[in-house]
Amino acid sequence: MSSISEDLYLQILIRVPVKFTFVCKCVCKNWLDLISSPKFIKMHLDFNIQKNNYNLMLNEFSEFSQDYELHSISYNSLSVASVNEFQDGVVNMNYPFISEDHDVALKSSCDGLVCLGFHDGSDFFLCLWNPATNEYLELPEPPREDANECEHSYLLDLFSIYALGYDYKIDDYKLVKVLMGGRDSLIYIYTLGSNSWESIQTIPYKCTINTGSAGDIIGGAAHWLVETPTNSKAIVSFDISEQRLEELQLPEEPLIKKQTFTLGKWDESLCLLVNVDNNIQFDVWVMQEYRVQDSWSKHISVTLRSVAKDSFLRLMWSFKNGKILLKTSGDLVLYDPTNASPSETYICCRRLVPGVENYVESLVSLNSGTYVGR
């Protein structure tokens, strides 16, 4: 193998699934050093992102166990056409603290790392977890303002908005927490490298958790729908590296018609799902040029006649065949815009699904030394 160049090794190994890289590390010391290097970890992640090797993680409620569970399914499996095939593709996840008496909730995901929240009715804590390597890290308790110290203060953390992202300036991962108040909201930042929180600023916006995207990262910034001090609606972006806040304008038509909408991501662009017909028809608006209000354009319309009326709708994925995956309050819907009718609207799940997140397998380490099952 010594006659094979390192570049060729790289091109072969970056195509290897994460679980098999552990076997490859045992082949020889050169492969161990190569696979463990930051350069390889970055190349392996970039390859999976470029190839859209994403999975969907589901936070489901089981009526049998009366508990919340985590499952995953690859997006390749989601192109199926029957409920049975969908269920066959679902994988049970062995996540941290699974045996303890805590409900688990999906909060955010970035580069193969998933943020989980755990609560038991009197306590709440956060955990970062890499599902591919099973490494996890329990986070220190988030800061709380004196005004928020109360008997049920854990609920403030439970219902805060979280967004996990990468800070390219310091080559580190950060978790943004938005603690919602009456008229103002507070922003806190957790940094993985220092394993600590810091209070950033109070912002004059009212954020609501039921706005679709819970902080999707686009262009290195987290985004939320907010109410401004003048009671109008807008999008706020928070640049994770610069820690800079910016207000983005919504398209005029939904504002003039006073329609309701949720925020999401179409490919790598901001999008809105606008409720135009009593929770039956939704228009998808896409911001073609970032920060430019005039670049908002109506992309497609979605008709959901066979789904229970629901004002909450989140766009999860757009497939190459034109189908899109939508999240309602409790279900997943695979929708075909080219042949929309009740028979083509396919409900994937048979159990309540309160939370979903996209994630890609990666070798990104939390440097915690703690692993599920070990």
Side-chain angles (χ1 to χ4, degrees):
M1 289 189 294
S2 59
S3 61
I4 301 177
S5 67
E6 182 177 310
D7 286 341
L8 185 54
Y9 281 147
L10 281 172
Q11 293 306 314
I12 295 173
L13 291 174
I14 61 173
R15 290 163 168 79
V16 175
V18 169
K19 63 180 179 180
F20 293 118
T21 62
F22 298 111
V23 179
C24 294
K25 284 183 177 182
C26 300
V27 172
C28 63
K29 188 177 184 300
N30 285 342
W31 278 24
L32 172 62
D33 294 340
L34 180 64
I35 295 171
S36 304
S37 68
K39 176 184 176 182
F40 178 84
I41 293 172
K42 180 70 164 59
M43 289 181 65
H44 189 273
L45 172 63
D46 290 345
F47 178 82
N48 280 329
I49 292 175
Q50 182 182 10
K51 294 296 182 180
N52 270 337
N53 292 335
Y54 279 85
N55 299 276
L56 182 71
M57 187 169 292
L58 302 94
N59 191 188
E60 294 185 279
F61 180 76
S62 170
E63 293 183 359
F64 176 76
S65 64
Q66 290 294 300
D67 204 356
Y68 289 90
E69 302 170 349
L70 295 181
H71 303 93
S72 74
I73 185 170
S74 70
Y75 271 104
N76 289 333
S77 300
L78 280 169
S79 59
V80 299
S82 74
V83 174
N84 290 334
E85 287 176 312
F86 172 82
Q87 295 297 334
D88 290 342
V90 173
V91 177
N92 294 332
M93 305 299 291
N94 186 25
Y95 54 90
F97 311 107
I98 190 172
S99 60
E100 299 185 14
D101 190 22
H102 288 89
D103 287 335
V104 61
L106 282 171
K107 295 300 181 183
S108 187
S109 176
C110 176
D111 290 353
L113 303 181
V114 178
C115 179
L116 302 176
F118 295 89
H119 59 97
D120 62 1
S122 61
D123 189 27
F124 175 82
F125 65 93
L126 293 165
C127 170
L128 292 182
W129 169 50
N130 184 327
T133 65
N134 263 336
E135 185 182 14
Y136 71 94
L137 173 68
E138 184 178 345
L139 272 56
E141 185 176 326
R144 292 189 179 98
E145 299 295 316
D146 292 340
N148 294 330
E149 292 292 345
C150 61
E151 183 181 356
H152 302 292
S153 59
Y154 78 96
L155 291 174
L156 298 172
D157 297 326
L158 177 62
F159 293 108
S160 293
I161 298 175
Y162 297 89
L164 183 63
Y166 174 72
D167 186 339
Y168 71 92
K169 275 190 150 184
I170 61 173
D171 187 25
D172 205 351
Y173 289 90
K174 290 182 175 180
L175 179 66
V176 182
K177 171 189 171 184
V178 180
L179 181 63
M180 294 168 287
R183 291 307 308 173
D184 297 334
S185 300
L186 299 171
I187 294 182
Y188 300 95
I189 297 285
Y190 167 84
T191 303
L192 177 60
S194 63
N195 192 31
S196 62
W197 291 88
E198 61 176 320
S199 176
I200 300 300
Q201 64 186 106
T202 300
I203 57 175
Y205 299 102
K206 181 181 179 182
C207 301
T208 57
I209 196 167
N210 196 23
T211 56
S213 168
D216 270 331
I217 304 293
I218 298 175
H223 298 79
W224 301 278
L225 278 174
V226 298
E227 288 185 10
T228 69
T230 59
N231 293 323
S232 61
K233 295 186 182 297
I235 299 172
V236 161
S237 73
F238 181 78
D239 189 293
I240 291 178
S241 296
E242 303 294 338
Q243 296 188 172
R244 183 181 66 245
L245 203 70
E246 183 177 357
E247 188 175 310
L248 307 180
Q249 299 302 311
L250 293 161
E252 291 184 358
E253 182 178 318
L255 289 175
I256 294 173
K257 294 181 178 179
K258 296 183 179 181
Q259 294 166 328
T260 59
F261 37 77
T262 55
L263 185 64
K265 182 165 69 171
W266 183 277
D267 292 333
E268 290 304 314
S269 299
L270 280 175
C271 78
L272 290 173
L273 280 90
V274 180
N275 187 349
V276 297
D277 183 15
N278 196 28
N279 302 333
I280 293 177
Q281 181 178 326
F282 293 81
D283 289 341
V284 180
W285 289 72
V286 178
M287 183 180 256
Q288 306 286 351
E289 188 176 348
Y290 190 57
R291 295 190 180 96
V292 179
Q293 183 184 24
D294 291 342
S295 70
W296 284 104
S297 63
K298 196 181 300 183
H299 196 61
I300 60 170
S301 291
V302 175
T303 304
L304 299 178
R305 298 188 183 278
S306 63
V307 179
K309 290 186 177 182
D310 195 334
S311 60
F312 175 87
L313 202 64
R314 179 182 176 188
L315 177 63
M316 295 304 304
W317 196 259
S318 55
F319 295 88
K320 291 182 179 179
N321 61 7
K323 293 183 180 180
I324 57 177
L325 184 71
L326 299 164
K327 168 73 173 66
T328 70
S329 291
D331 286 312
L332 290 173
V333 178
L334 190 62
Y335 182 81
D336 187 354
T338 60
N339 191 17
S341 71
S343 61
E344 273 73 43
T345 303
Y346 168 55
I347 304 176
C348 298
C349 296
R350 292 176 291 185
R351 296 194 292 183
L352 179 66
V353 185
V356 290
E357 287 292 336
N358 296 321
Y359 81 99
V360 61
E361 289 194 350
S362 80
L363 288 161
V364 174
S365 176
L366 297 165
N367 296 315
S368 68
T370 53
Y371 296 83
V372 178
R374 282 192 277 164

